[in-house]
Amino acid sequence: MVCEKEKVLRKISTSNARADGQKRDGPSRGKELVNLPQICPRPERAPVKRSVPPKRKEELRCLRELASGLRGELVGLGLEEVRLRCRNRTGGALWASRSLATCEVLLIIIPGSGSEYPGPWSTISFCREAGTESGSVLPYVRRATENGWGVALLCPNANVDDDGRPLAGSENPCSHAVSAWDDFLAKCSANTVLMVAHSNGGQAAIGLLCDRKDDLVKGARLKTVALLDSVHKSVPSHDTDVLDFCKTRVVDFVRSREPVGSYRPKPWAASNISGGCRCRSGGHVDHLGVPGAVKEVVFDHFIETLSPRNSAATKS
């Protein structure tokens, strides 16, 4: 009986304490909520203007001067800027020889990623460090012009306009290459087309072969492609026309310690085929240094391809 009474008394005391706590705490809590101060919006801060260090300003000035100088060199070699049209809109641009309408041989140059400016093979900074003879396309343009060939220099990295909107038909390097061919290059008079592409430009070149194979591959206008350490991984295996063309007419000059032009740059590559293409040494261990190191061998390869013996083999 005593235990039962104690349990009842404890329940009564606990309930009374809860009731007292609610009476005591309830109004105060409500009052605190009512009297909370209103939060005012934080005033907008003026954007902070970060100053550019003088050394960086000088570096940017030098890069702009180099880019302007490259444009001047291209104009001096007979090239001019051509704006592309895609879906009735202004698209990207390329630089083409003024003699493109009458030339018999056309050399298409596709740089790698890194610069929106026309001229560098990769970044404008590397072009400044290595010099224009190694870091830019100028030696290739000059040599092709001396041979009497027409030149088309694509700008695959200029993908947006001044307002940041995608350029029609040039949203990425592959679409830019296709638009350049459809809108301009396919209409030129040259029946012999050569192509040289570096790094990510190799991916755009392979994409162009696949998308326009009827004109380039089956039509036999494209004689050979020289890739300069291309980053493409493979060639579509389901497309036998492109696959056979890459195995026989495309050469990838890869970075290697072997002498420039060596036919065994990668001893581990089966049958000296890598990425679906034949391999030769680019004569340099640095990816960005391959175009400058291999230019003489590339043009020797072009001249050999255009020889009457090889031309007859290509037609057959």
Side-chain angles (χ1 to χ4, degrees):
M1 292 293 293
V2 176
C3 293
E4 292 295 331
K5 286 183 179 180
E6 288 180 357
K7 290 181 181 180
V8 172
L9 290 174
R10 286 177 184 174
K11 288 182 180 180
I12 295 172
S13 61
T14 302
S15 60
N16 290 337
R18 288 177 180 173
D20 292 340
Q22 291 176 355
K23 290 179 181 179
R24 183 172 61 253
D25 298 338
S28 62
R29 287 180 182 175
K31 189 175 183 181
E32 288 174 2
L33 291 174
V34 171
N35 296 331
L36 280 176
Q38 293 183 353
I39 301 176
C40 298
R42 185 176 295 178
E44 295 183 0
R45 294 182 179 180
V48 179
K49 295 183 179 180
R50 300 185 182 275
S51 59
V52 181
K55 186 176 180 180
R56 179 58 178 164
K57 281 185 178 180
E58 178 65 17
E59 183 181 358
L60 293 175
R61 184 187 66 80
C62 292
L63 294 179
R64 284 193 293 268
E65 287 184 356
L66 176 58
S68 177
L70 289 172
R71 284 175 174 264
E73 291 279 356
L74 292 174
V75 172
L77 290 170
L79 273 66
E80 58 185 1
E81 187 176 19
V82 178
R83 277 287 168 185
L84 302 174
R85 297 284 298 177
C86 181
R87 299 187 291 273
N88 295 324
R89 293 168 53 193
T90 301
L94 59 85
W95 285 71
S97 301
R98 298 184 184 96
S99 61
L100 209 64
T102 58
C103 66
E104 297 180 359
V105 180
L106 169 64
L107 175 62
I108 301 175
I109 303 176
I110 310 180
S113 57
S115 175
E116 297 180 2
Y117 302 110
W121 275 117
S122 54
T123 64
I124 190 74
S125 299
F126 178 78
C127 184
R128 181 190 176 195
E129 295 170 5
T132 56
E133 289 299 309
S134 297
S136 80
V137 303
L138 291 180
Y140 287 74
V141 176
R142 190 179 303 117
R143 179 71 179 275
T145 304
E146 291 172 355
N147 291 346
W149 303 347
V151 178
L153 171 61
L154 305 193
C155 301
N157 303 309
N159 309 125
V160 296
D161 59 15
D162 295 337
D163 297 325
R165 295 172 298 187
L167 289 170
S170 294
E171 297 85 357
N172 55 66
C174 290
S175 62
H176 173 75
V178 173
S179 295
W181 179 260
D182 291 345
D183 188 50
F184 190 71
L185 299 179
K187 304 170 186 176
C188 75
S189 61
N191 291 322
T192 298
V193 179
L194 309 172
M195 194 181 303
V196 57
H198 172 53
S199 188
N200 196 49
Q203 182 71 46
I206 297 297
L208 178 59
L209 291 184
C210 295
D211 290 344
R212 297 297 179 265
K213 70 174 183 179
D214 289 342
D215 197 6
L216 290 169
V217 178
K218 291 184 177 180
R221 293 186 72 182
L222 183 61
K223 305 305 180 185
T224 187
V225 179
L227 302 178
L228 310 180
D229 205 28
S230 173
V231 299
H232 80 282
K233 300 299 182 184
S234 62
V235 178
S237 58
H238 64 275
D239 197 329
T240 56
D241 294 322
V242 175
L243 192 63
D244 293 340
F245 182 87
C246 288
K247 285 183 178 180
T248 57
R249 311 301 295 180
V250 179
V251 179
D252 191 2
F253 293 90
V254 299
R255 59 181 182 270
S256 173
R257 297 184 183 276
E258 298 297 321
V260 60
S262 170
Y263 287 88
R264 292 292 292 172
K266 294 183 176 182
W268 62 88
S271 302
N272 203 30
I273 299 291
S274 180
C277 309
R278 292 180 296 158
C279 292
R280 294 180 66 180
S281 172
H284 208 290
V285 295
D286 184 7
H287 172 70
L288 300 181
V290 169
V294 78
K295 56 180 176 289
E296 294 297 332
V297 178
V298 168
F299 276 91
D300 289 344
H301 169 70
F302 286 156
I303 297 299
E304 182 182 359
T305 301
L306 297 180
S307 65
R309 176 174 54 84
N310 286 323
S311 297
T314 303
K315 290 178 182 179
S316 60

